[in-house]
């Protein structure tokens, strides 16, 4: 099983880029639902955690504590 550890403020790449052409998303809310914000246009979307985990491709930048 592939393990994807993600945390608040990490920047991730999704399997599909945002229609604006950017594929960099910052995690801005963690919980039952995950809210991510497109780094290109600032649009944000909320996804159930399970769906987010399925659609997320990789972590681009880990947020440093
Ligand atoms: Zn965008």
């Amino acid at each position: 099983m592939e393990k994807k550890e993600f945390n608040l403020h990490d920047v991730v790449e999704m399997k599909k880029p945002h229609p604006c052409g950017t594929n960099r998303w910052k995690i801005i809310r963690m919980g039952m639902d995950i809210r991510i914000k497109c780094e290109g246009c600032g649009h944000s979307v909320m996804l159930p955690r399970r769906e987010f985990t399925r659609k997320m491709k990789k972590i681009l930048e880990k947020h440093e504590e």
Side-chain angles (χ1 to χ4, degrees):
M1 184 178 144
E2 190 181 353
K3 197 175 183 188
K4 291 171 181 168
E5 296 264 1
F6 53 87
N7 284 296
L8 192 63
H9 305 313
D10 285 355
V11 177
V12 302
E13 187 178 305
M14 304 301 282
K15 285 176 182 164
K16 286 185 184 165
H18 193 235
C20 78
T22 302
N23 201 347
R24 285 176 62 87
W25 301 82
K26 181 168 271 189
I27 299 171
I28 57 171
R29 184 180 180 276
M30 291 276 280
M32 292 286 288
D33 295 317
I34 310 288
R35 185 177 281 276
I36 53 175
K37 186 174 167 188
C38 174
E39 295 254 278
C41 67
H43 180 77
S44 70
V45 291
M46 186 116 87
L47 296 167
R49 181 179 282 259
R50 186 176 299 175
E51 191 179 342
F52 172 81
T53 305
R54 190 160 44 81
K55 290 184 174 176
M56 196 258 284
K57 192 170 170 190
K58 63 179 177 182
I59 296 163
L60 297 174
E61 284 173 28
K62 292 295 292 178
H63 177 69
E64 300 296 331
E65 290 292 318

